[in-house]
């Protein structure tokens, strides 16, 4: 095992651990740990920024009121931070916000009733004219990009039944009119050109996507990446070419299609069917390109690299190809970067193990950092900064995880909780994690894993668990448990496993298929039977998942074999099951059926249902209830067992 100490220093702030001088760092009682978790949940964050063209105001999402809502704040770089202003839309949580290029409107995606289905709203920056444009309880609508002119934006309606297409429209915020833009199986509009002639489309199942550029005037399209190659492309931007010889238009993509890792790809193209060759503009062997943004002229690109979970920033001059590394990132993880239209400013979200999500400003000329949003108070207790640990899978594949060592367990074995993230393409990173901190405060170390299937480690790694590779993913969890015991971190018989979404499914699978390894488990909104998951999940979610888990008909035997529900009799340790009332991604029936099966068998199982929540628990009250339940449950079954 190798250990790499993470640092989380924010220039110009109080100590990096977020605690006052003299704060304790020792294991406390379970009720002290629960109080810590509740205090950390109350430490609201700010994220998802969008700027006005002059970069003087930023719109963002914050849960400082207890639920994610829309806020606006002036960007002040040489004085006290001004207060943020709440822009009310509805009581439902806000998921994302985009500010029109002409500054006249904001478009927001809102989680209807707190569930999976979202609606698209528009509102003036002063809070007037707020109304729903598309979506609602019975219709899922997704927010796409604004046109570069700022007059219209993209709204997408995924197919609501098997075989029905996804349709994208251009929406007029003033009238609500929807004009057809594109349709396809599982399309997403990644960007649209200034004059609305060209659009970049992504289509395909998870991990097997392709990207095309559509010329709406000529009704033609072409592949933006090598024909027939697939992979993942999260971001694409259309901008003017960096010089006269490259062609009139350029598309920049963060993609791993046909590549070992996600890289920056550039493709020149133009009207009348002309296009050049796609080529790599920036790549790293030790990192994946996570985010990109560009100024309006296409002269400057902002790149955010994912380096084994940490973030690193670069600026790229498209005319020369020169790359400038940006130092002093005020946290370990950056997200949602926005480059101003003139390229002079960046606003992005930053967080770390001891800091909730904050917005920071970067001057692209001086490279000076300035905090934009205010920081909430934190409990007077020193928080754990995790270490990055590596270990081999049973087949020798290098694996890793972030270890939150309980303060009272630094020099010997003790109880450990394995945490499994969702996706499976998500990634565990050194972010602000109240649950991990609460467990560590209660005396339970946490090992948050990135087993095969996780993103951030290359295309081969993220696909290593596809279909029959699921068995290898099960083995990775067992390898982590074995290694913790061999390394003297975990005490045999005092290991638990927990996770959410896919991680919840993996928790059930480990308990059902490998009894005797774990002393307890917590399943948060996980699938218990992949056959019923396909039957009951939202159609567009199920259609995209076949490349990961298998086809519900062609791969039925595999799905049945890897579904924990059929082996519920093997689950003989205490289990806590948690699910959101309005979850239609992993439908709530997945929780009900495993709880019912275990109760019929007389097994120790507890169930917590969170009202008004979907697949993601967005309200502070729900996250407090979740943290308290998990902390008490695992403390009682591991620390005193």
């Amino acid at each position: 095992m190798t250990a790499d100490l993470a640092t989380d220093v924010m220039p110009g702030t109080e100590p990096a651990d977020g605690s006052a001088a003299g704060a304790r760092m020792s294991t406390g009682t379970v009720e002290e740990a629960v109080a810590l978790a509740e205090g950390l949940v109350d430490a609201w964050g700010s994220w998802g920024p969008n700027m006005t063209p002059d970069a003087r105001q930023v719109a963002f999402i914050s849960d400082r009121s207890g639920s994610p809502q829309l806020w606006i704040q002036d960007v002040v770089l040489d004085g006290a931070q001004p207060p943020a202003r709440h822009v009310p839309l509805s009581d439902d949580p806000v998921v994302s916000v985009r500010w029109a290029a002409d500054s006249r409107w904001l478009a927001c995606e809102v989680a209807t009733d707190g569930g999976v289905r979202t609606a698209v709203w528009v509102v003036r920056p002063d809070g007037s004219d707020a109304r729903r444009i598309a979506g609602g309880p019975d219709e899922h609508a997704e927010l796409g990009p604004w046109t570069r002119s700022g007059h219209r934006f993209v709204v997408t309606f995924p197919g609501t039944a098997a075989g029905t297409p996804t349709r994208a429209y251009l929406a007029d915020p003033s009238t609500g009119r929807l004009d057809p833009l594109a349709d396809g199986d599982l399309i997403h509009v990644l960007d649209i050109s200034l004059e609305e002639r060209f659009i970049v489309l992504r289509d395909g199942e998870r991990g097997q996507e392709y990207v095309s550029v559509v010329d709406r005037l000529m009704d033609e399209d072409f592949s933006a990446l090598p024909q027939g190659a697939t992979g993942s492309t999260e971001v694409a931007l259309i901008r003017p070419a960096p010089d006269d010889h490259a062609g009139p238009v350029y598309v920049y993509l963060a993609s791993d299609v046909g590549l070992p890792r996600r890289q920056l790809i550039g493709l020149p193209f133009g009207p009348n069917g002309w296009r050049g060759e796609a080529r790599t503009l920036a790549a790293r062997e030790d990192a994946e390109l996570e985010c990109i943004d560009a100024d309006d002229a296409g002269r400057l690109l902002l790149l955010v690299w994912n380096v084994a979970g940490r973030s690193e920033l670069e600026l790229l001059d498209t005319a020369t190809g020169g790359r400038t590394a940006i130092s002093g990132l005020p946290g370990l993880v950056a997200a949602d970067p926005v480059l101003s239209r003139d390229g002079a400013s960046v606003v992005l979200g930053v967080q770390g193990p001891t800091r909730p999500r904050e917005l920071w400003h970067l001057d692209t000329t001086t490279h000076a950092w300035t905090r934009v949003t205010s920081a909430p108070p934190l409990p007077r207790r020193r928080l754990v900064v995790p270490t990055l640990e590596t270990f081999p899978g049973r087949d020798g594949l290098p694996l890793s995880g972030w270890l939150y060592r309980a303060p009272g367990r630094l020099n010997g074995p003790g109880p450990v909780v394995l945490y499994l993230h969702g996706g499976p393409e998500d990634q565990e990173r050194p972010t602000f994690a109240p649950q991990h901190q609460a467990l560590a405060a209660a005396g339970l170390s946490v090992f948050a894993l990135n087993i095969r299937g996780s993103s951030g480690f290359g295309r081969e790694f993220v696909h290593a668990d596809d279909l029959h590779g699921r068995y290898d993913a099960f083995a990775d969890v067992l390898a982590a448990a074995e290694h913790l015991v061999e390394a003297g971190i975990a005490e045999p018989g005092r290991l638990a496993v927990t996770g959410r979404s896919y991680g919840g499914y993996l928790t059930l699978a480990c308990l059902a298929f490998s009894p005797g390894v774990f002393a307890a488990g917590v399943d948060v909104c996980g699938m218990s039977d992949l056959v019923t998951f396909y039957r009951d999940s939202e159609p567009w979610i199920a259609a995209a998942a076949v490349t990961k888990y298998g086809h519900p008909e062609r791969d039925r035997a595999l799905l049945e074999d890897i579904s924990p529900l059929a082996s519920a009799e093997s689950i003989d340790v205490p289990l806590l099951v948690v699910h959101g009332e309005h979850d239609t991604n992993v439908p709530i029936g997945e929780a009900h059926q495993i709880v019912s099966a275990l109760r019929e068998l007389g097994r120790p199982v507890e169930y917590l249902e969170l009202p008004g929540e979907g697949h993601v628990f967005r309200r502070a009250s729900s996250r407090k209830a979740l943290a308290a339940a998990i902390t008490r449950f695992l403390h009682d079954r591991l620390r005193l067992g």
Side-chain angles (χ1 to χ4, degrees), residues 239-252 266-270 274-279 281 298-299 318-319:
R239 292 294 188 272
D243 58 68
D244 296 337
H245 302 290
V249 189
Y250 229 79
V251 59
Y252 298 97
L267 172 67
F269 68 96
W274 181 87
R275 64 186 174 106
E277 293 294 326
R279 63 188 182 94
L281 302 179
R299 297 286 178 175
T318 59

Side-chain angles (χ1 to χ4, degrees), residues 418-420 497-509 511 520-529 564 571 574-580 583 586-595 598 605-609 615 617 626 630 633-634:
L418 296 187
Y419 179 79
L420 306 168
V497 60
T498 180
R500 69 167 304 278
S501 191
Y502 170 76
Y505 156 77
L506 205 54
T507 294
L508 294 177
L511 297 179
V522 180
D523 156 34
V524 182
C525 59
M527 305 92 81
S528 59
D529 188 323
I571 301 177
L575 174 68
L576 171 63
V577 177
V578 184
H579 222 92
D583 192 351
V586 176
I588 198 170
E590 296 299 305
H592 291 169
Q593 61 194 10
I594 190 65
V595 170
L598 292 173
V605 59
E606 299 178 22
Y607 179 55
L608 172 63
E609 186 171 303
H615 194 60
F617 305 149
L626 174 69
I630 292 177
F633 178 84
L634 291 176

Side-chain angles (χ1 to χ4, degrees), residues 65-297:
S65 64
S67 177
Q69 295 291 313
L70 172 62
W71 295 76
I72 292 178
Q73 183 173 314
D74 292 338
V75 178
V76 176
L77 305 180
D78 56 359
Q81 297 160 351
R85 175 171 56 86
H86 177 221
V87 180
L89 290 177
S90 76
D91 293 333
D92 293 333
V94 177
V95 177
S96 65
V97 57
R98 294 177 184 262
W99 209 322
D102 62 5
S103 300
R104 297 180 180 179
W105 290 95
L106 293 157
C108 298
E109 190 171 300
V110 176
T112 304
D113 297 326
V116 173
R117 296 179 182 178
T118 55
V120 176
W121 287 65
V122 294
V123 64
R124 299 281 190 181
D126 63 3
S128 62
D129 292 344
R131 62 185 183 279
R132 182 168 55 88
I133 291 289
D138 301 318
E139 181 182 51
H140 178 59
E142 299 175 353
L143 174 63
W146 282 90
T147 61
R148 301 302 295 174
S149 64
H151 301 309
R152 297 197 291 178
F153 61 92
V154 176
V155 174
T156 302
F157 298 88
T160 56
T164 59
T166 299
R167 291 190 167 89
Y169 298 82
L170 279 175
D172 185 319
S174 298
T175 65
R177 174 177 168 176
L178 300 177
D179 292 323
L181 179 63
D183 60 68
D185 293 331
L186 294 165
I187 63 168
H188 289 82
V189 178
L190 300 181
D191 202 11
I192 184 166
S193 64
L194 176 65
E195 74 289 353
E196 302 180 12
R197 175 172 178 174
F198 299 106
I199 58 175
V200 184
L201 289 179
R202 182 184 72 206
D203 202 348
E205 295 88 4
R206 286 159 55 178
Q208 294 191 10
E209 302 160 346
Y210 58 93
V211 180
S212 58
V213 178
V214 178
D215 185 334
R216 299 176 65 218
L217 180 62
M218 303 301 294
D219 194 23
E220 298 174 347
D221 66 89
F222 62 88
S223 177
L225 296 165
Q227 193 70 37
T230 59
S232 298
T233 304
E234 295 300 322
V235 186
L237 305 171
I238 300 176
R239 292 294 188 272
D243 58 68
D244 296 337
H245 302 290
V249 189
Y250 229 79
V251 59
Y252 298 97
L253 308 103
S255 178
D256 67 0
V257 171
L259 299 167
R261 285 180 177 266
R262 192 170 297 159
Q263 305 174 2
L264 177 64
I265 308 298
L267 172 67
F269 68 96
N272 304 316
W274 181 87
R275 64 186 174 106
E277 293 294 326
R279 63 188 182 94
T280 297
L281 302 179
R284 289 177 57 167
E285 293 184 356
D286 66 334
E288 289 208 309
L289 183 60
E290 189 167 41
C291 302
I292 60 174
D293 202 5
D295 63 4
D296 268 10

